Tab-separated table of all heavy atoms in Angstrom:
chain	number	residue	atom	x	y	z
A	23	MET	N	0.862	-1.173	0.000
A	23	MET	CA	0.000	0.000	0.000
A	23	MET	C	0.903	1.230	0.000
A	23	MET	O	1.848	1.305	0.776
A	23	MET	CB	-0.895	-0.030	1.242
A	23	MET	CG	-1.941	1.038	1.237
A	23	MET	SD	-3.083	1.042	2.648
A	23	MET	CE	-3.742	-0.601	2.634
A	24	SER	N	0.583	2.161	-0.858
A	24	SER	CA	1.356	3.406	-0.939
A	24	SER	C	0.914	4.389	0.135
A	24	SER	O	-0.224	4.360	0.592
A	24	SER	CB	1.164	4.055	-2.307
A	24	SER	OG	1.633	3.208	-3.315
A	25	LYS	N	1.841	5.247	0.498
A	25	LYS	CA	1.543	6.289	1.471
A	25	LYS	C	1.584	7.632	0.747
A	25	LYS	O	2.469	7.869	-0.064
A	25	LYS	CB	2.584	6.273	2.592
A	25	LYS	CG	2.277	7.239	3.721
A	25	LYS	CD	3.350	7.190	4.790
A	25	LYS	CE	3.101	5.996	5.677
A	25	LYS	NZ	3.927	6.039	6.912
A	26	ILE	N	0.593	8.485	1.039
A	26	ILE	CA	0.555	9.818	0.446
A	26	ILE	C	0.448	10.851	1.560
A	26	ILE	O	0.098	10.523	2.695
A	26	ILE	CB	-0.607	9.983	-0.555
A	26	ILE	CG1	-1.957	9.834	0.146
A	26	ILE	CG2	-0.477	8.993	-1.704
A	26	ILE	CD1	-3.139	10.214	-0.712
A	27	SER	N	0.718	12.085	1.206
A	27	SER	CA	0.588	13.186	2.152
A	27	SER	C	-0.395	14.188	1.575
A	27	SER	O	-0.316	14.515	0.389
A	27	SER	CB	1.958	13.832	2.358
A	27	SER	OG	1.848	14.943	3.196
A	28	VAL	N	-1.311	14.659	2.407
A	28	VAL	CA	-2.350	15.573	1.944
A	28	VAL	C	-2.529	16.683	2.972
A	28	VAL	O	-2.532	16.430	4.172
A	28	VAL	CB	-3.699	14.835	1.782
A	28	VAL	CG1	-4.734	15.736	1.145
A	28	VAL	CG2	-3.554	13.559	1.004
A	29	GLU	N	-2.678	17.895	2.491
A	29	GLU	CA	-3.011	19.002	3.391
A	29	GLU	C	-4.527	19.110	3.475
A	29	GLU	O	-5.217	19.122	2.461
A	29	GLU	CB	-2.411	20.309	2.871
A	29	GLU	CG	-0.901	20.315	2.940
A	29	GLU	CD	-0.302	21.647	2.531
A	29	GLU	OE1	-1.041	22.657	2.474
A	29	GLU	OE2	0.903	21.666	2.270
A	30	VAL	N	-5.032	19.141	4.710
A	30	VAL	CA	-6.469	19.181	4.953
A	30	VAL	C	-6.769	20.354	5.880
A	30	VAL	O	-6.115	20.506	6.920
A	30	VAL	CB	-6.940	17.858	5.611
A	30	VAL	CG1	-8.419	17.900	5.912
A	30	VAL	CG2	-6.596	16.667	4.735
A	31	PRO	N	-7.747	21.184	5.538
A	31	PRO	CA	-8.108	22.288	6.432
A	31	PRO	C	-8.509	21.758	7.812
A	31	PRO	O	-9.125	20.691	7.936
A	31	PRO	CB	-9.306	22.939	5.730
A	31	PRO	CG	-9.199	22.519	4.307
A	31	PRO	CD	-8.566	21.167	4.314
A	32	ASP	N	-8.162	22.495	8.851
A	32	ASP	CA	-8.429	22.081	10.228
A	32	ASP	C	-9.908	21.786	10.468
A	32	ASP	O	-10.248	20.819	11.161
A	32	ASP	CB	-7.950	23.146	11.214
A	32	ASP	CG	-6.433	23.257	11.256
A	32	ASP	OD1	-5.748	22.271	10.899
A	32	ASP	OD2	-5.927	24.323	11.645
A	33	GLU	N	-10.785	22.586	9.898
A	33	GLU	CA	-12.221	22.390	10.103
A	33	GLU	C	-12.678	21.061	9.512
A	33	GLU	O	-13.463	20.328	10.122
A	33	GLU	CB	-13.003	23.549	9.468
A	33	GLU	CG	-14.486	23.475	9.724
A	33	GLU	CD	-15.209	24.683	9.161
A	33	GLU	OE1	-14.867	25.819	9.543
A	33	GLU	OE2	-16.118	24.464	8.341
A	34	LEU	N	-12.178	20.733	8.325
A	34	LEU	CA	-12.533	19.464	7.691
A	34	LEU	C	-11.981	18.286	8.491
A	34	LEU	O	-12.666	17.271	8.683
A	34	LEU	CB	-12.000	19.437	6.251
A	34	LEU	CG	-12.356	18.252	5.387
A	34	LEU	CD1	-13.864	18.091	5.264
A	34	LEU	CD2	-11.725	18.403	4.016
A	35	LEU	N	-10.776	18.416	8.977
A	35	LEU	CA	-10.165	17.361	9.793
A	35	LEU	C	-10.931	17.166	11.096
A	35	LEU	O	-11.146	16.024	11.535
A	35	LEU	CB	-8.701	17.704	10.070
A	35	LEU	CG	-7.851	16.589	10.652
A	35	LEU	CD1	-7.860	15.357	9.763
A	35	LEU	CD2	-6.444	17.084	10.880
A	36	ALA	N	-11.385	18.229	11.697
A	36	ALA	CA	-12.182	18.125	12.922
A	36	ALA	C	-13.497	17.396	12.649
A	36	ALA	O	-13.917	16.538	13.447
A	36	ALA	CB	-12.453	19.516	13.505
A	37	ASP	N	-14.130	17.694	11.517
A	37	ASP	CA	-15.362	16.989	11.139
A	37	ASP	C	-15.082	15.504	10.924
A	37	ASP	O	-15.859	14.648	11.356
A	37	ASP	CB	-15.964	17.584	9.868
A	37	ASP	CG	-16.591	18.940	10.088
A	37	ASP	OD1	-16.821	19.320	11.260
A	37	ASP	OD2	-16.853	19.640	9.089
A	38	LEU	N	-13.982	15.191	10.259
A	38	LEU	CA	-13.594	13.801	10.029
A	38	LEU	C	-13.370	13.076	11.349
A	38	LEU	O	-13.845	11.950	11.548
A	38	LEU	CB	-12.323	13.745	9.172
A	38	LEU	CG	-11.768	12.360	8.882
A	38	LEU	CD1	-12.657	11.632	7.884
A	38	LEU	CD2	-10.349	12.456	8.361
A	39	ASP	N	-12.685	13.723	12.261
A	39	ASP	CA	-12.357	13.113	13.552
A	39	ASP	C	-13.593	12.757	14.372
A	39	ASP	O	-13.541	11.862	15.218
A	39	ASP	CB	-11.435	14.027	14.354
A	39	ASP	CG	-9.999	13.996	13.852
A	39	ASP	OD1	-9.641	13.056	13.109
A	39	ASP	OD2	-9.243	14.920	14.192
A	40	GLU	N	-14.708	13.416	14.114
A	40	GLU	CA	-15.949	13.082	14.822
A	40	GLU	C	-16.427	11.677	14.471
A	40	GLU	O	-17.219	11.086	15.203
A	40	GLU	CB	-17.041	14.099	14.504
A	40	GLU	CG	-16.785	15.464	15.102
A	40	GLU	CD	-17.890	16.449	14.804
A	40	GLU	OE1	-18.998	16.018	14.396
A	40	GLU	OE2	-17.653	17.655	14.970
A	41	HIS	N	-15.947	11.132	13.356
A	41	HIS	CA	-16.370	9.811	12.887
A	41	HIS	C	-15.312	8.734	13.115
A	41	HIS	O	-15.457	7.610	12.653
A	41	HIS	CB	-16.724	9.879	11.398
A	41	HIS	CG	-17.821	10.844	11.112
A	41	HIS	ND1	-19.150	10.563	11.361
A	41	HIS	CD2	-17.793	12.109	10.634
A	41	HIS	CE1	-19.882	11.602	11.029
A	41	HIS	NE2	-19.094	12.566	10.595
A	42	VAL	N	-14.240	9.096	13.811
A	42	VAL	CA	-13.116	8.186	14.022
A	42	VAL	C	-12.965	7.884	15.513
A	42	VAL	O	-13.164	8.748	16.357
A	42	VAL	CB	-11.804	8.813	13.478
A	42	VAL	CG1	-10.602	7.957	13.826
A	42	VAL	CG2	-11.891	9.029	11.977
A	43	GLY	N	-12.617	6.638	15.829
A	43	GLY	CA	-12.359	6.259	17.215
A	43	GLY	C	-13.384	5.271	17.735
A	43	GLY	O	-14.214	4.755	16.983
A	44	GLU	N	-13.329	5.012	19.008
A	44	GLU	CA	-14.205	4.010	19.620
A	44	GLU	C	-15.683	4.279	19.397
A	44	GLU	O	-16.464	3.356	19.200
A	44	GLU	CB	-13.918	3.919	21.117
A	44	GLU	CG	-12.609	3.256	21.439
A	44	GLU	CD	-12.409	3.099	22.930
A	44	GLU	OE1	-13.417	3.004	23.658
A	44	GLU	OE2	-11.246	3.077	23.358
A	45	ASP	N	-16.075	5.538	19.436
A	45	ASP	CA	-17.488	5.884	19.254
A	45	ASP	C	-17.831	6.212	17.801
A	45	ASP	O	-18.983	6.500	17.491
A	45	ASP	CB	-17.856	7.083	20.136
A	45	ASP	CG	-17.721	6.765	21.616
A	45	ASP	OD1	-17.895	5.582	21.984
A	45	ASP	OD2	-17.437	7.688	22.397
A	46	GLY	N	-16.851	6.154	16.907
A	46	GLY	CA	-17.070	6.535	15.518
A	46	GLY	C	-17.270	5.346	14.595
A	46	GLY	O	-17.267	4.194	15.013
A	47	LYS	N	-17.441	5.664	13.333
A	47	LYS	CA	-17.670	4.644	12.315
A	47	LYS	C	-16.373	4.028	11.814
A	47	LYS	O	-16.396	2.967	11.209
A	47	LYS	CB	-18.404	5.269	11.129
A	47	LYS	CG	-19.758	5.856	11.463
A	47	LYS	CD	-20.308	6.628	10.263
A	47	LYS	CE	-21.505	7.445	10.640
A	47	LYS	NZ	-21.163	8.704	11.310
A	48	PHE	N	-15.246	4.695	12.033
A	48	PHE	CA	-13.962	4.247	11.508
A	48	PHE	C	-12.948	4.084	12.636
A	48	PHE	O	-12.966	4.824	13.616
A	48	PHE	CB	-13.430	5.257	10.481
A	48	PHE	CG	-14.370	5.466	9.332
A	48	PHE	CD1	-15.220	6.557	9.304
A	48	PHE	CD2	-14.418	4.566	8.281
A	48	PHE	CE1	-16.097	6.753	8.251
A	48	PHE	CE2	-15.300	4.751	7.226
A	48	PHE	CZ	-16.143	5.848	7.203
A	49	VAL	N	-12.035	3.138	12.444
A	49	VAL	CA	-11.012	2.849	13.444
A	49	VAL	C	-9.979	3.967	13.511
A	49	VAL	O	-9.509	4.329	14.582
A	49	VAL	CB	-10.318	1.505	13.113
A	49	VAL	CG1	-9.156	1.237	14.047
A	49	VAL	CG2	-11.322	0.371	13.154
A	50	ASN	N	-9.639	4.524	12.342
A	50	ASN	CA	-8.626	5.581	12.299
A	50	ASN	C	-8.878	6.496	11.095
A	50	ASN	O	-9.746	6.218	10.261
A	50	ASN	CB	-7.211	4.989	12.267
A	50	ASN	CG	-7.017	4.008	11.135
A	50	ASN	OD1	-7.377	4.275	9.995
A	50	ASN	ND2	-6.432	2.856	11.442
A	51	ARG	N	-8.112	7.561	11.012
A	51	ARG	CA	-8.278	8.521	9.919
A	51	ARG	C	-8.030	7.877	8.565
A	51	ARG	O	-8.726	8.169	7.590
A	51	ARG	CB	-7.316	9.686	10.088
A	51	ARG	CG	-7.687	10.652	11.179
A	51	ARG	CD	-6.616	11.710	11.315
A	51	ARG	NE	-6.980	12.754	12.255
A	51	ARG	CZ	-6.158	13.693	12.645
A	51	ARG	NH1	-4.922	13.728	12.181
A	51	ARG	NH2	-6.558	14.618	13.496
A	52	SER	N	-7.034	7.013	8.494
A	52	SER	CA	-6.704	6.382	7.211
A	52	SER	C	-7.891	5.592	6.668
A	52	SER	O	-8.209	5.668	5.473
A	52	SER	CB	-5.489	5.462	7.355
A	52	SER	OG	-4.332	6.212	7.605
A	53	GLU	N	-8.539	4.817	7.535
A	53	GLU	CA	-9.709	4.050	7.106
A	53	GLU	C	-10.825	4.975	6.624
A	53	GLU	O	-11.488	4.699	5.628
A	53	GLU	CB	-10.213	3.158	8.237
A	53	GLU	CG	-9.326	1.976	8.523
A	53	GLU	CD	-9.304	0.965	7.389
A	53	GLU	OE1	-10.320	0.797	6.684
A	53	GLU	OE2	-8.243	0.347	7.193
A	54	ALA	N	-11.028	6.061	7.335
A	54	ALA	CA	-12.071	7.017	6.958
A	54	ALA	C	-11.769	7.655	5.607
A	54	ALA	O	-12.654	7.785	4.757
A	54	ALA	CB	-12.211	8.095	8.035
A	55	ILE	N	-10.530	8.015	5.385
A	55	ILE	CA	-10.152	8.656	4.126
A	55	ILE	C	-10.227	7.666	2.969
A	55	ILE	O	-10.729	7.990	1.889
A	55	ILE	CB	-8.762	9.307	4.247
A	55	ILE	CG1	-8.855	10.500	5.213
A	55	ILE	CG2	-8.223	9.730	2.883
A	55	ILE	CD1	-7.526	11.064	5.640
A	56	ARG	N	-9.777	6.409	3.190
A	56	ARG	CA	-9.882	5.396	2.129
A	56	ARG	C	-11.338	5.164	1.745
A	56	ARG	O	-11.682	5.080	0.558
A	56	ARG	CB	-9.231	4.081	2.574
A	56	ARG	CG	-7.733	4.078	2.420
A	56	ARG	CD	-7.157	2.683	2.579
A	56	ARG	NE	-7.215	2.199	3.942
A	56	ARG	CZ	-6.272	2.411	4.859
A	56	ARG	NH1	-5.196	3.115	4.564
A	56	ARG	NH2	-6.399	1.911	6.064
A	57	ALA	N	-12.219	5.069	2.735
A	57	ALA	CA	-13.644	4.877	2.459
A	57	ALA	C	-14.210	6.063	1.685
A	57	ALA	O	-15.008	5.890	0.752
A	57	ALA	CB	-14.414	4.669	3.758
A	58	SER	N	-13.790	7.262	2.039
A	58	SER	CA	-14.267	8.463	1.356
A	58	SER	C	-13.803	8.499	-0.095
A	58	SER	O	-14.576	8.857	-0.999
A	58	SER	CB	-13.773	9.716	2.080
A	58	SER	OG	-14.288	9.750	3.383
A	59	VAL	N	-12.565	8.111	-0.327
A	59	VAL	CA	-12.045	8.094	-1.702
A	59	VAL	C	-12.791	7.051	-2.529
A	59	VAL	O	-13.178	7.320	-3.677
A	59	VAL	CB	-10.517	7.836	-1.713
A	59	VAL	CG1	-10.012	7.558	-3.111
A	59	VAL	CG2	-9.773	9.020	-1.100
A	60	ARG	N	-13.004	5.855	-1.949
A	60	ARG	CA	-13.760	4.820	-2.670
A	60	ARG	C	-15.152	5.334	-3.058
A	60	ARG	O	-15.614	5.141	-4.183
A	60	ARG	CB	-13.912	3.567	-1.812
A	60	ARG	CG	-12.694	2.702	-1.777
A	60	ARG	CD	-13.000	1.379	-1.043
A	60	ARG	NE	-11.782	0.895	-0.445
A	60	ARG	CZ	-11.435	1.003	0.829
A	60	ARG	NH1	-12.239	1.592	1.690
A	60	ARG	NH2	-10.298	0.526	1.260
A	61	LYS	N	-15.832	5.967	-2.111
A	61	LYS	CA	-17.186	6.481	-2.365
A	61	LYS	C	-17.168	7.544	-3.449
A	61	LYS	O	-18.009	7.549	-4.351
A	61	LYS	CB	-17.783	7.043	-1.063
A	61	LYS	CG	-19.165	7.608	-1.207
A	61	LYS	CD	-20.163	6.548	-1.588
A	61	LYS	CE	-21.565	7.133	-1.636
A	61	LYS	NZ	-22.538	6.142	-2.086
A	62	MET	N	-16.187	8.457	-3.388
A	62	MET	CA	-16.094	9.503	-4.396
A	62	MET	C	-15.869	8.898	-5.784
A	62	MET	O	-16.493	9.313	-6.759
A	62	MET	CB	-14.954	10.468	-4.069
A	62	MET	CG	-14.795	11.562	-5.115
A	62	MET	SD	-13.180	12.381	-5.094
A	62	MET	CE	-12.065	11.014	-5.284
A	63	LEU	N	-15.006	7.889	-5.886
A	63	LEU	CA	-14.742	7.255	-7.175
A	63	LEU	C	-15.980	6.535	-7.693
A	63	LEU	O	-16.252	6.558	-8.903
A	63	LEU	CB	-13.554	6.303	-7.062
A	63	LEU	CG	-12.213	6.981	-6.826
A	63	LEU	CD1	-11.132	5.934	-6.553
A	63	LEU	CD2	-11.818	7.877	-7.985
A	64	ASP	N	-16.745	5.902	-6.800
A	64	ASP	CA	-18.000	5.268	-7.212
A	64	ASP	C	-18.971	6.297	-7.779
A	64	ASP	O	-19.612	6.066	-8.806
A	64	ASP	CB	-18.658	4.541	-6.034
A	64	ASP	CG	-17.939	3.266	-5.639
A	64	ASP	OD1	-17.100	2.774	-6.424
A	64	ASP	OD2	-18.217	2.760	-4.525
A	65	VAL	N	-19.091	7.432	-7.113
A	65	VAL	CA	-19.990	8.494	-7.582
A	65	VAL	C	-19.531	9.022	-8.943
A	65	VAL	O	-20.343	9.218	-9.852
A	65	VAL	CB	-20.077	9.634	-6.536
A	65	VAL	CG1	-20.770	10.853	-7.113
A	65	VAL	CG2	-20.791	9.148	-5.283
A	66	LEU	N	-18.223	9.227	-9.097
A	66	LEU	CA	-17.708	9.709	-10.379
A	66	LEU	C	-17.960	8.698	-11.494
A	66	LEU	O	-18.298	9.073	-12.620
A	66	LEU	CB	-16.218	10.030	-10.270
A	66	LEU	CG	-15.866	11.246	-9.423
A	66	LEU	CD1	-14.353	11.361	-9.261
A	66	LEU	CD2	-16.446	12.518	-10.011
A	67	ASP	N	-17.823	7.392	-11.193
A	67	ASP	CA	-18.125	6.356	-12.181
A	67	ASP	C	-19.596	6.399	-12.579
A	67	ASP	O	-19.936	6.249	-13.760
A	67	ASP	CB	-17.776	4.968	-11.641
A	67	ASP	CG	-16.286	4.675	-11.670
A	67	ASP	OD1	-15.528	5.435	-12.322
A	67	ASP	OD2	-15.873	3.683	-11.026
A	68	GLU	N	-20.481	6.597	-11.600
A	68	GLU	CA	-21.914	6.688	-11.897
A	68	GLU	C	-22.203	7.882	-12.801
A	68	GLU	O	-22.995	7.775	-13.748
A	68	GLU	CB	-22.718	6.802	-10.606
A	68	GLU	CG	-22.734	5.544	-9.780
A	68	GLU	CD	-23.387	5.734	-8.412
A	68	GLU	OE1	-23.986	6.810	-8.173
A	68	GLU	OE2	-23.290	4.811	-7.592
A	69	ILE	N	-21.583	9.002	-12.537
A	69	ILE	CA	-21.775	10.193	-13.367
A	69	ILE	C	-21.259	9.937	-14.777
A	69	ILE	O	-21.941	10.245	-15.769
A	69	ILE	CB	-21.075	11.416	-12.736
A	69	ILE	CG1	-21.783	11.816	-11.441
A	69	ILE	CG2	-21.019	12.588	-13.728
A	69	ILE	CD1	-21.026	12.824	-10.597
A	70	ASP	N	-20.057	9.359	-14.880
A	70	ASP	CA	-19.499	9.047	-16.202
A	70	ASP	C	-20.387	8.080	-16.962
A	70	ASP	O	-20.596	8.227	-18.176
A	70	ASP	CB	-18.089	8.468	-16.068
A	70	ASP	CG	-17.051	9.522	-15.751
A	70	ASP	OD1	-17.339	10.723	-15.939
A	70	ASP	OD2	-15.947	9.149	-15.323
A	71	GLU	N	-20.941	7.090	-16.273
A	71	GLU	CA	-21.810	6.112	-16.925
A	71	GLU	C	-23.071	6.789	-17.473
A	71	GLU	O	-23.487	6.527	-18.600
A	71	GLU	CB	-22.183	5.006	-15.934
A	71	GLU	CG	-22.964	3.879	-16.567
A	71	GLU	CD	-23.208	2.732	-15.612
A	71	GLU	OE1	-23.175	2.949	-14.376
A	71	GLU	OE2	-23.426	1.622	-16.104
A	72	ARG	N	-23.642	7.687	-16.691
A	72	ARG	CA	-24.852	8.392	-17.156
A	72	ARG	C	-24.568	9.235	-18.391
A	72	ARG	O	-25.448	9.445	-19.220
A	72	ARG	CB	-25.387	9.316	-16.036
A	72	ARG	CG	-26.186	8.572	-14.996
A	72	ARG	CD	-26.993	9.543	-14.155
A	72	ARG	NE	-26.202	10.569	-13.527
A	72	ARG	CZ	-25.813	10.579	-12.247
A	72	ARG	NH1	-26.163	9.594	-11.459
A	72	ARG	NH2	-25.108	11.563	-11.759
A	73	HIS	N	-23.335	9.720	-18.510
A	73	HIS	CA	-22.979	10.571	-19.640
A	73	HIS	C	-22.284	9.798	-20.752
A	73	HIS	O	-21.746	10.400	-21.683
A	73	HIS	CB	-22.094	11.723	-19.171
A	73	HIS	CG	-22.833	12.703	-18.305
A	73	HIS	ND1	-23.597	13.721	-18.826
A	73	HIS	CD2	-22.952	12.795	-16.954
A	73	HIS	CE1	-24.141	14.409	-17.830
A	73	HIS	NE2	-23.779	13.864	-16.687
A	74	GLY	N	-22.273	8.463	-20.638
A	74	GLY	CA	-21.702	7.621	-21.681
A	74	GLY	C	-20.178	7.739	-21.788
A	74	GLY	O	-19.625	7.547	-22.880
A	75	ARG	N	-19.509	8.047	-20.694
A	75	ARG	CA	-18.057	8.238	-20.752
A	75	ARG	C	-17.279	7.036	-20.265
A	75	ARG	O	-16.048	7.068	-20.295
A	75	ARG	CB	-17.664	9.477	-19.935
A	75	ARG	CG	-18.215	10.752	-20.535
A	75	ARG	CD	-17.669	11.964	-19.845
A	75	ARG	NE	-18.177	12.103	-18.496
A	75	ARG	CZ	-18.813	13.161	-18.027
A	75	ARG	NH1	-19.030	14.200	-18.816
A	75	ARG	NH2	-19.221	13.206	-16.784
A	76	LEU	N	-17.940	5.978	-19.783
A	76	LEU	CA	-17.215	4.789	-19.338
A	76	LEU	C	-16.968	3.877	-20.526
A	76	LEU	O	-17.836	3.668	-21.365
A	76	LEU	CB	-18.005	4.023	-18.267
A	76	LEU	CG	-17.996	4.604	-16.868
A	76	LEU	CD1	-18.732	3.678	-15.915
A	76	LEU	CD2	-16.585	4.811	-16.356
A	77	GLN	N	-15.769	3.311	-20.568
A	77	GLN	CA	-15.433	2.365	-21.639
A	77	GLN	C	-15.599	0.947	-21.126
A	77	GLN	O	-15.275	0.654	-19.975
A	77	GLN	CB	-13.983	2.577	-22.091
A	77	GLN	CG	-13.731	3.926	-22.689
A	77	GLN	CD	-12.266	4.086	-23.084
A	77	GLN	OE1	-11.472	3.186	-22.931
A	77	GLN	NE2	-11.926	5.259	-23.599
A	78	ASP	N	-16.078	0.052	-21.986
A	78	ASP	CA	-16.184	-1.360	-21.615
A	78	ASP	C	-14.812	-1.989	-21.653
A	78	ASP	O	-14.029	-1.741	-22.556
A	78	ASP	CB	-17.116	-2.108	-22.583
A	78	ASP	CG	-18.556	-1.633	-22.468
A	78	ASP	OD1	-18.941	-1.163	-21.384
A	78	ASP	OD2	-19.285	-1.724	-23.480
A	79	ASP	N	-14.517	-2.813	-20.641
A	79	ASP	CA	-13.228	-3.507	-20.599
A	79	ASP	C	-13.291	-4.811	-21.355
A	79	ASP	O	-14.205	-5.489	-21.421
A	79	ASP	CB	-12.796	-3.780	-19.148
A	79	ASP	CG	-12.443	-2.492	-18.427
A	79	ASP	OD1	-12.124	-1.507	-19.103
A	79	ASP	OD2	-12.483	-2.491	-17.181
């Protein structure tokens, strides 16, 4: 797994942290960010499909 570095505004990070930890939906920030990226890519694929921009493999 590759490691990346990202600058995130403090307010956005604070919102993310509300969903991380024992009482949150995610074990750690990395898991939360990976889930968010997966969801964003799924949404972008859906948009591309509606506009006929996805290619068949």
Side-chain angles (χ1 to χ4, degrees):
M23 188 178 305
S24 298
K25 186 181 280 192
I26 63 170
S27 176
V28 187
E29 292 185 16
V30 178
D32 291 337
E33 184 176 303
L34 185 58
L35 192 57
D37 288 345
L38 178 72
D39 284 343
E40 290 181 16
H41 300 283
V42 174
E44 288 184 28
D45 296 331
K47 300 172 191 80
F48 301 99
V49 174
N50 55 47
R51 286 176 174 172
S52 292
E53 288 293 328
I55 292 168
R56 279 192 289 272
S58 298
V59 169
R60 281 187 208 101
K61 180 64 176 176
M62 179 199 56
L63 292 173
D64 287 345
V65 169
L66 290 173
D67 283 347
E68 290 172 9
I69 292 168
D70 284 343
E71 186 174 23
R72 280 196 304 259
H73 291 276
R75 295 188 290 236
L76 283 184
Q77 297 179 1
D78 293 333
D79 291 338

